[in-house]
Amino acid sequence: MSEIAWIVLASAAMTYLTRCGGHLVLSRFARIHPRVEAALNAVPAAVLTTLVAPAAMNAGLPEAAALVAAGLIGLRGGILSVFLGGAAVLIAGRHFFG
């Protein structure tokens, strides 16, 4: 088996273990403290920021336009419209501006 396949399998196993570990730890508590719940609710936004911020810093015109479009669509629309609108602007921008 190739090295890449082992890396993918190890990553999948570690992801599964961290998710199971988090579930096991939180299931021991009958009630979650509101601050912990607020922190857990903020995790998806933090993860998304860590994915988008480096791309935004190194982005060209099409990527920057897609981020702005997705942000503007996000003010009014749902997550699907944000994804589709941002992807459409990115595809069009890369097609016309390279």
Side-chain angles (χ1 to χ4, degrees), residues 59-66 88-98:
L61 179 62
E63 292 82 9
V89 170
L90 180 63
I91 291 168
R94 285 184 177 173
H95 178 73
F96 291 114
F97 301 110

Side-chain angles (χ1 to χ4, degrees), residues 9-49:
L9 288 174
S11 299
M14 292 306 295
T15 300
Y16 181 75
L17 289 175
T18 55
R19 287 180 180 233
C20 285
H23 176 72
L24 290 174
V25 168
L26 289 178
S27 67
R28 301 186 83 185
F29 299 101
R31 183 175 170 269
I32 299 174
H33 193 275
R35 288 185 182 184
V36 173
E37 187 174 351
L40 290 174
N41 287 336
V43 168
V47 170
L48 186 61
T49 301

